[in-house]
Amino acid sequence: MHLKNSLLLSAILALGMTPLMPACASTTAAATSAGAAATKAMTPRATIDALDAALLKAMQGGRKIGYHGRYAIVSPVIRNVYDFTRIASLTLGNYWSSLSPAQQKTFVEVLADYTVATYAARFDNYEGERFAIVSSQTLQPGTEGVFSTLTMHNGKVHRFDYLLQQQDGQWRIVNVVADGVSDLSLKRAEYTETMKNKGFSALVAHLKAQIARDTNGKS
């Protein structure tokens, strides 16, 4: 699998940025939602299966249930299977430690809202698409790679390679490499540039504007 090396490199780079940290209060609260109990003891593969199942259900609902219906389906699962505190710290790099606890909490919440909105907007139609987990690989203790595919109705295959870390007994996603492109790397480049040139408030406003675009632009 040619993308394994890409994910492994991404994992090493990400883990070298900051040490693994405890989840913040907002993330802990989200983990106690309805989906948390069911996924608490999940393996890395089962975590991705849960995400894929939610996305498939949202896709099958499509325009019939609308954006808000899809949002309601994917929101509890995404908030549970992603480690948004970890992702927030990695995407902001050195800027993360310069934020106040309140600012950190705000950014984690907005990042989670943005991720859910993106999924709800993009996975909006079903034409026989299929998710499948190809394999998984232990990258280092507490870090696992899960390699999966999405086969479109026309036969085209997309790769989604997930990097998960174990936190308080639960496996959560900290990065996705989609067709060879690292989501964490893209966010880090964009967000740190915004922090450098415009500041924290501008970054939050930018993400909220993207959430509003998805909310208002999809039926």
Side-chain angles (χ1 to χ4, degrees):
M1 297 171 194
H2 64 283
L3 287 184
K4 280 190 177 182
N5 291 335
S6 173
L7 179 57
L8 180 59
L9 177 60
S10 176
I12 293 172
L13 290 174
L15 292 171
M17 294 173 189
T18 57
L20 189 62
M21 62 191 69
C24 71
S26 62
T27 304
T28 302
T32 59
S33 64
T39 59
K40 181 69 175 179
M42 275 188 174
T43 65
R45 291 174 69 111
T47 299
I48 302 307
D49 276 335
L51 174 61
D52 289 346
L55 296 178
L56 188 61
K57 184 177 180 181
M59 292 164 66
Q60 290 171 337
R63 289 185 174 84
K64 182 177 180 180
I65 62 174
Y67 169 84
H68 294 288
R70 298 191 301 272
Y71 189 102
I73 290 171
V74 300
S75 179
V77 176
I78 289 172
R79 295 176 192 279
N80 189 55
V81 302
Y82 274 85
D83 187 345
F84 286 112
T85 299
R86 178 66 169 156
I87 295 169
S89 70
L90 292 175
T91 55
L92 292 187
N94 293 333
Y95 291 106
W96 175 255
S97 60
S98 70
L99 299 179
S100 69
Q103 287 176 319
Q104 290 181 349
K105 182 175 182 292
T106 294
F107 184 67
V108 171
E109 291 173 348
V110 172
L111 184 61
D113 290 343
Y114 167 68
T115 303
V116 175
T118 300
Y119 272 111
R122 293 182 180 176
F123 289 81
D124 61 350
N125 187 44
Y126 180 72
E127 295 180 313
E129 291 84 355
R130 306 185 309 277
F131 289 98
I133 291 178
V134 178
S135 67
S136 61
Q137 177 184 1
T138 299
L139 303 178
Q140 64 180 51
T143 302
E144 190 89 3
V146 177
F147 307 92
S148 66
T149 60
L150 170 61
T151 303
M152 309 301 290
H153 70 282
N154 60 3
K156 183 176 181 180
V157 178
H158 295 284
R159 287 293 304 262
F160 292 93
D161 296 344
Y162 295 91
L163 175 68
L164 299 92
Q165 290 185 325
Q166 196 171 33
Q167 178 78 355
D168 297 329
Q170 182 173 344
W171 288 96
R172 286 199 175 99
I173 300 164
V174 296
N175 192 20
V176 185
V177 180
D179 290 331
V181 179
S182 168
D183 183 64
L184 187 63
S185 296
L186 290 177
K187 283 185 168 65
R188 183 175 173 84
E190 178 186 356
Y191 296 174
T192 55
E193 183 71 14
T194 302
M195 287 287 290
K196 176 182 178 181
N197 295 325
K198 299 180 180 180
F200 177 72
S201 296
L203 175 58
V204 171
H206 171 65
L207 291 178
K208 287 184 175 180
Q210 290 182 308
I211 293 170
R213 176 205 63 197
D214 286 334
T215 303
N216 297 325
K218 293 287 183 176
S219 60

Short mmCIF file of all heavy atoms in Angstrom, two decimals, residues 23 27-48 50 76-77 79-81 164-172:
data_model
loop_
_atom_site.label_atom_id
_atom_site.label_comp_id
_atom_site.label_asym_id
_atom_site.label_seq_id
_atom_site.Cartn_x
_atom_site.Cartn_y
_atom_site.Cartn_z
N ALA A 23 -7.43 15.27 27.30
CA ALA A 23 -8.52 15.98 26.64
C ALA A 23 -9.00 17.12 27.51
O ALA A 23 -9.02 17.03 28.73
CB ALA A 23 -9.67 15.02 26.36
N THR A 27 -13.94 18.48 25.27
CA THR A 27 -13.83 17.21 24.59
C THR A 27 -14.33 16.08 25.47
O THR A 27 -14.99 15.15 25.02
CB THR A 27 -12.36 16.95 24.19
OG1 THR A 27 -11.90 18.04 23.41
CG2 THR A 27 -12.22 15.66 23.42
N THR A 28 -14.01 16.14 26.76
CA THR A 28 -14.48 15.13 27.69
C THR A 28 -16.00 15.11 27.75
O THR A 28 -16.63 14.06 27.77
CB THR A 28 -13.92 15.39 29.11
OG1 THR A 28 -12.49 15.39 29.02
CG2 THR A 28 -14.37 14.31 30.07
N ALA A 29 -16.59 16.30 27.75
CA ALA A 29 -18.05 16.37 27.79
C ALA A 29 -18.66 15.77 26.54
O ALA A 29 -19.66 15.05 26.59
CB ALA A 29 -18.48 17.83 27.94
N ALA A 30 -18.03 16.06 25.39
CA ALA A 30 -18.54 15.50 24.14
C ALA A 30 -18.45 13.99 24.14
O ALA A 30 -19.31 13.30 23.59
CB ALA A 30 -17.75 16.07 22.96
N ALA A 31 -17.42 13.46 24.79
CA ALA A 31 -17.22 12.02 24.79
C ALA A 31 -18.23 11.29 25.64
O ALA A 31 -18.34 10.07 25.58
CB ALA A 31 -15.81 11.68 25.28
N THR A 32 -18.97 12.02 26.45
CA THR A 32 -19.99 11.39 27.29
C THR A 32 -21.35 11.42 26.62
O THR A 32 -22.37 11.11 27.25
CB THR A 32 -20.08 12.09 28.66
OG1 THR A 32 -20.40 13.46 28.45
CG2 THR A 32 -18.76 11.99 29.40
N SER A 33 -21.40 11.82 25.37
CA SER A 33 -22.65 11.85 24.63
C SER A 33 -23.13 10.43 24.36
O SER A 33 -22.48 9.46 24.71
CB SER A 33 -22.47 12.61 23.32
OG SER A 33 -21.56 11.91 22.51
N ALA A 34 -24.27 10.34 23.71
CA ALA A 34 -24.90 9.03 23.50
C ALA A 34 -23.99 8.04 22.82
O ALA A 34 -24.00 6.85 23.15
CB ALA A 34 -26.18 9.21 22.66
N GLY A 35 -23.17 8.52 21.86
CA GLY A 35 -22.31 7.59 21.14
C GLY A 35 -21.09 7.15 21.90
O GLY A 35 -20.46 6.16 21.55
N ALA A 36 -20.71 7.86 22.97
CA ALA A 36 -19.46 7.58 23.65
C ALA A 36 -19.44 6.21 24.31
O ALA A 36 -18.46 5.48 24.22
CB ALA A 36 -19.18 8.67 24.68
N ALA A 37 -20.50 5.87 25.01
CA ALA A 37 -20.53 4.60 25.73
C ALA A 37 -20.37 3.42 24.79
O ALA A 37 -19.68 2.44 25.09
CB ALA A 37 -21.84 4.47 26.50
N ALA A 38 -20.96 3.54 23.60
CA ALA A 38 -20.91 2.44 22.65
C ALA A 38 -19.53 2.27 22.04
O ALA A 38 -19.14 1.17 21.66
CB ALA A 38 -21.93 2.67 21.53
N THR A 39 -18.74 3.37 21.95
CA THR A 39 -17.46 3.29 21.28
C THR A 39 -16.28 3.33 22.24
O THR A 39 -15.13 3.30 21.80
CB THR A 39 -17.31 4.46 20.28
OG1 THR A 39 -17.43 5.70 20.99
CG2 THR A 39 -18.36 4.38 19.20
N LYS A 40 -16.53 3.35 23.53
CA LYS A 40 -15.47 3.51 24.52
C LYS A 40 -14.37 2.47 24.35
O LYS A 40 -13.19 2.77 24.42
CB LYS A 40 -16.07 3.43 25.94
CG LYS A 40 -15.06 3.60 27.06
CD LYS A 40 -14.53 5.00 27.12
CE LYS A 40 -13.63 5.21 28.32
NZ LYS A 40 -13.09 6.57 28.37
N ALA A 41 -14.74 1.23 24.15
CA ALA A 41 -13.75 0.15 24.08
C ALA A 41 -13.46 -0.28 22.65
O ALA A 41 -12.91 -1.36 22.43
CB ALA A 41 -14.25 -1.04 24.90
N MET A 42 -13.79 0.54 21.67
CA MET A 42 -13.61 0.17 20.28
C MET A 42 -12.14 0.03 19.91
O MET A 42 -11.28 0.75 20.41
CB MET A 42 -14.25 1.21 19.36
CG MET A 42 -15.73 0.99 19.13
SD MET A 42 -16.31 2.13 17.86
CE MET A 42 -17.98 1.56 17.66
N THR A 43 -11.86 -0.90 18.99
CA THR A 43 -10.55 -0.98 18.39
C THR A 43 -10.41 0.15 17.37
O THR A 43 -11.41 0.78 16.98
CB THR A 43 -10.39 -2.33 17.68
OG1 THR A 43 -11.34 -2.39 16.59
CG2 THR A 43 -10.61 -3.49 18.63
N PRO A 44 -9.20 0.43 16.88
CA PRO A 44 -9.06 1.46 15.84
C PRO A 44 -9.92 1.17 14.61
O PRO A 44 -10.56 2.08 14.07
CB PRO A 44 -7.57 1.41 15.52
CG PRO A 44 -6.93 0.95 16.78
CD PRO A 44 -7.89 -0.03 17.37
N ARG A 45 -9.95 -0.09 14.17
CA ARG A 45 -10.75 -0.44 13.00
C ARG A 45 -12.23 -0.20 13.26
O ARG A 45 -12.95 0.30 12.39
CB ARG A 45 -10.51 -1.90 12.61
CG ARG A 45 -9.12 -2.17 12.05
CD ARG A 45 -8.91 -3.66 11.82
NE ARG A 45 -9.73 -4.14 10.72
CZ ARG A 45 -9.24 -4.54 9.54
NH1 ARG A 45 -7.93 -4.51 9.32
NH2 ARG A 45 -10.04 -4.97 8.59
N ALA A 46 -12.70 -0.57 14.44
CA ALA A 46 -14.12 -0.38 14.77
C ALA A 46 -14.47 1.10 14.86
O ALA A 46 -15.60 1.49 14.53
CB ALA A 46 -14.45 -1.08 16.08
N THR A 47 -13.52 1.93 15.27
CA THR A 47 -13.75 3.37 15.31
C THR A 47 -14.01 3.91 13.91
O THR A 47 -14.94 4.70 13.69
CB THR A 47 -12.54 4.09 15.93
OG1 THR A 47 -12.35 3.63 17.28
CG2 THR A 47 -12.74 5.60 15.95
N ILE A 48 -13.21 3.48 12.94
CA ILE A 48 -13.41 3.92 11.56
C ILE A 48 -14.68 3.32 10.99
O ILE A 48 -15.40 3.98 10.23
CB ILE A 48 -12.19 3.55 10.69
CG1 ILE A 48 -10.92 4.19 11.28
CG2 ILE A 48 -12.41 4.01 9.25
CD1 ILE A 48 -11.02 5.68 11.51
N ALA A 50 -17.39 2.81 12.63
CA ALA A 50 -18.47 3.64 13.17
C ALA A 50 -18.61 4.93 12.39
O ALA A 50 -19.73 5.38 12.07
CB ALA A 50 -18.22 3.94 14.64
N PRO A 76 -22.79 13.43 16.45
CA PRO A 76 -22.35 12.73 17.66
C PRO A 76 -21.22 11.75 17.41
O PRO A 76 -20.34 11.58 18.27
CB PRO A 76 -23.62 12.01 18.13
CG PRO A 76 -24.50 11.91 16.94
CD PRO A 76 -24.20 13.13 16.12
N VAL A 77 -21.20 11.13 16.26
CA VAL A 77 -20.14 10.16 15.95
C VAL A 77 -18.82 10.88 15.72
O VAL A 77 -17.77 10.50 16.27
CB VAL A 77 -20.53 9.31 14.73
CG1 VAL A 77 -19.38 8.36 14.36
CG2 VAL A 77 -21.79 8.53 15.00
N ARG A 79 -17.84 13.85 16.69
CA ARG A 79 -17.34 14.47 17.92
C ARG A 79 -16.74 13.43 18.87
O ARG A 79 -15.90 13.77 19.71
CB ARG A 79 -18.46 15.25 18.62
CG ARG A 79 -18.95 16.44 17.81
CD ARG A 79 -20.13 17.13 18.47
NE ARG A 79 -20.76 18.08 17.57
CZ ARG A 79 -20.33 19.32 17.33
NH1 ARG A 79 -19.23 19.76 17.93
NH2 ARG A 79 -20.97 20.11 16.48
N ASN A 80 -17.17 12.18 18.72
CA ASN A 80 -16.66 11.12 19.59
C ASN A 80 -15.40 10.46 19.04
O ASN A 80 -14.50 10.11 19.80
CB ASN A 80 -17.74 10.06 19.81
CG ASN A 80 -17.34 9.07 20.88
OD1 ASN A 80 -17.04 9.45 22.01
ND2 ASN A 80 -17.32 7.80 20.54
N VAL A 81 -15.31 10.31 17.72
CA VAL A 81 -14.19 9.55 17.17
C VAL A 81 -12.98 10.41 16.83
O VAL A 81 -11.89 9.88 16.61
CB VAL A 81 -14.60 8.73 15.93
CG1 VAL A 81 -15.73 7.77 16.26
CG2 VAL A 81 -14.98 9.63 14.75
N LEU A 164 -4.75 7.23 14.27
CA LEU A 164 -5.47 7.26 15.54
C LEU A 164 -4.50 7.12 16.71
O LEU A 164 -3.47 6.44 16.60
CB LEU A 164 -6.50 6.12 15.63
CG LEU A 164 -7.61 6.10 14.58
CD1 LEU A 164 -7.22 5.25 13.38
CD2 LEU A 164 -8.92 5.59 15.19
N GLN A 165 -4.85 7.78 17.82
CA GLN A 165 -4.10 7.63 19.05
C GLN A 165 -5.05 7.22 20.17
O GLN A 165 -6.24 7.55 20.15
CB GLN A 165 -3.39 8.94 19.41
CG GLN A 165 -2.23 9.26 18.48
CD GLN A 165 -1.47 10.48 18.92
OE1 GLN A 165 -2.03 11.44 19.45
NE2 GLN A 165 -0.16 10.46 18.70
N GLN A 166 -4.50 6.50 21.13
CA GLN A 166 -5.31 6.01 22.24
C GLN A 166 -5.27 7.02 23.38
O GLN A 166 -4.19 7.44 23.82
CB GLN A 166 -4.79 4.66 22.72
CG GLN A 166 -5.77 3.92 23.60
CD GLN A 166 -5.31 2.50 23.87
OE1 GLN A 166 -4.11 2.24 23.95
NE2 GLN A 166 -6.24 1.58 24.01
N GLN A 167 -6.45 7.42 23.83
CA GLN A 167 -6.58 8.41 24.89
C GLN A 167 -7.63 7.93 25.88
O GLN A 167 -8.79 7.76 25.51
CB GLN A 167 -6.98 9.78 24.31
CG GLN A 167 -7.19 10.88 25.33
CD GLN A 167 -5.88 11.47 25.83
OE1 GLN A 167 -4.81 10.99 25.47
NE2 GLN A 167 -5.96 12.49 26.65
N ASP A 168 -7.23 7.70 27.12
CA ASP A 168 -8.15 7.24 28.16
C ASP A 168 -8.90 5.97 27.72
O ASP A 168 -10.10 5.83 27.95
CB ASP A 168 -9.16 8.34 28.52
CG ASP A 168 -8.48 9.56 29.11
OD1 ASP A 168 -7.43 9.40 29.77
OD2 ASP A 168 -8.98 10.68 28.92
N GLY A 169 -8.18 5.08 27.07
CA GLY A 169 -8.77 3.81 26.66
C GLY A 169 -9.57 3.85 25.38
O GLY A 169 -10.07 2.83 24.94
N GLN A 170 -9.68 5.04 24.77
CA GLN A 170 -10.45 5.16 23.53
C GLN A 170 -9.55 5.59 22.38
O GLN A 170 -8.69 6.46 22.54
CB GLN A 170 -11.57 6.18 23.70
CG GLN A 170 -12.45 6.32 22.46
CD GLN A 170 -13.65 7.22 22.69
OE1 GLN A 170 -14.00 7.50 23.83
NE2 GLN A 170 -14.27 7.68 21.62
N TRP A 171 -9.76 4.97 21.22
CA TRP A 171 -9.00 5.33 20.03
C TRP A 171 -9.71 6.47 19.31
O TRP A 171 -10.88 6.37 18.98
CB TRP A 171 -8.87 4.13 19.10
CG TRP A 171 -7.92 3.10 19.62
CD1 TRP A 171 -8.24 1.97 20.33
CD2 TRP A 171 -6.51 3.09 19.48
NE1 TRP A 171 -7.11 1.27 20.64
CE2 TRP A 171 -6.03 1.93 20.13
CE3 TRP A 171 -5.58 3.95 18.87
CZ2 TRP A 171 -4.67 1.61 20.19
CZ3 TRP A 171 -4.24 3.63 18.91
CH2 TRP A 171 -3.79 2.47 19.57
N ARG A 172 -8.97 7.55 19.06
CA ARG A 172 -9.54 8.70 18.36
C ARG A 172 -8.64 9.12 17.20
O ARG A 172 -7.43 9.01 17.25
CB ARG A 172 -9.73 9.87 19.33
CG ARG A 172 -10.91 9.69 20.29
CD ARG A 172 -11.30 11.05 20.87
NE ARG A 172 -12.49 10.93 21.69
CZ ARG A 172 -12.48 10.86 23.02
NH1 ARG A 172 -11.34 10.85 23.66
NH2 ARG A 172 -13.61 10.77 23.69
#
